[in-house]
Amino acid sequence: MVPSSMVHLITAYKYNKDVSMTFLVGNIVPDIVKEWKEKDRIHLRDREDRLFALEELAGTLNLQDDFKLGILLHLFLDYKWDTYPRVDFIMGYEDYTWFHPYRHEMALVGGWLYHHTDWSKGLWEEMKACPLDEFENSQGYNKEEIAKFISHNYEWHEENDIGPSSFFTPELIEEFTSEAADDFRSWLADL
């Protein structure tokens, strides 16, 4: 139910052009969890007061730590994504029938962005080569799982020159990621 890792990485760059590799890895790491109930808990989707829960979480994190700041941006972006544009997509479906078409559209988004963003291949290669020892047990994430996630996603993106999505268009993604980066900056300033 999440946006593509590429959407997260583009937003991270828009938030800070001089990002660290630690910040970038933090921006994708919450999605390494495969079990949906656990993923919903981590993403605070199990909370009625999700934005307040994000504020509470932010209050417990050292936001000078790029990894933790990256995780927070990831969760903030997913909150924004879930309220718009994902909600617009699922309005055309009954019950949970939207899930598979949505996943297909997200694959189109990710594949297209990877192959049409001049920095993405090099970035994924850098993330693959990044020593992950500093991430061990940080916020409960395992470095081997992070490495597998990065490697799998790099290979998937390399093999899938697909898209773009006709629903989550490149223009929508461009506008959404710019707005999300600005909103995150403002939200942090207000905390």
Side-chain angles (χ1 to χ4, degrees):
M1 296 183 304
V2 298
S4 156
S5 293
M6 285 299 301
V7 172
H8 284 287
L9 294 172
I10 288 170
T11 306
Y13 269 118
K14 289 182 177 184
Y15 172 72
N16 180 354
K17 297 274 189 251
D18 299 316
V19 295
S20 69
M21 193 56 53
T22 305
F23 180 71
L24 292 169
V25 171
N27 264 278
I28 61 169
V29 80
D31 287 338
I32 70 172
V33 176
K34 292 181 178 50
E35 201 278 311
W36 285 109
K37 285 184 183 179
E38 179 65 9
K39 187 174 266 192
D40 280 352
R41 187 191 64 74
I42 288 169
H43 285 75
L44 306 172
R45 288 188 181 105
D46 61 342
R47 297 276 304 260
E48 295 277 330
D49 57 345
R50 189 169 171 192
L51 188 57
F52 180 72
L54 275 170
E55 291 170 4
E56 285 182 329
L57 176 63
T60 68
L61 298 176
N62 172 7
L63 298 181
Q64 301 305 308
D65 179 320
D66 280 353
F67 185 66
K68 292 175 182 167
L69 183 62
I71 290 170
L72 189 62
L73 175 53
H74 176 106
L75 298 176
F76 182 84
L77 177 71
D78 280 0
Y79 164 74
K80 299 289 280 185
W81 183 267
D82 288 352
T83 57
Y84 161 81
R86 187 189 72 141
V87 73
D88 289 351
F89 182 82
I90 64 177
M91 284 176 32
Y93 293 87
E94 290 185 29
D95 300 322
Y96 207 62
T97 60
W98 60 269
F99 182 74
H100 291 293
Y102 174 79
R103 295 298 294 168
H104 174 71
E105 293 298 317
M106 286 294 85
L108 294 172
V109 167
W112 191 88
L113 288 172
Y114 178 85
H115 290 280
H116 292 88
T117 306
D118 59 1
W119 48 263
S120 60
K121 179 180 175 71
L123 170 65
W124 282 97
E125 288 172 348
E126 282 184 62
M127 285 194 295
K128 275 183 63 175
C130 180
L132 299 176
D133 290 340
E134 64 189 276
F135 304 123
E136 185 62 44
N137 296 320
S138 183
Q139 295 303 113
Y141 296 105
N142 174 285
K143 68 181 179 181
E144 284 82 17
E145 290 299 314
I146 295 171
K148 283 195 310 193
F149 182 81
I150 291 170
S151 182
H152 169 77
N153 277 277
Y154 170 75
E155 291 167 18
W156 184 91
H157 284 101
E158 277 290 298
E159 295 168 2
N160 288 278
D161 189 356
I162 57 176
S165 167
S166 59
F167 189 90
F168 302 107
T169 64
E171 296 79 18
L172 182 147
I173 298 298
E174 179 66 26
E175 182 179 323
F176 174 81
T177 55
S178 294
E179 184 179 302
D182 289 343
D183 289 352
F184 183 67
R185 193 174 291 108
S186 298
W187 180 73
L188 280 181
D190 291 343
L191 287 178

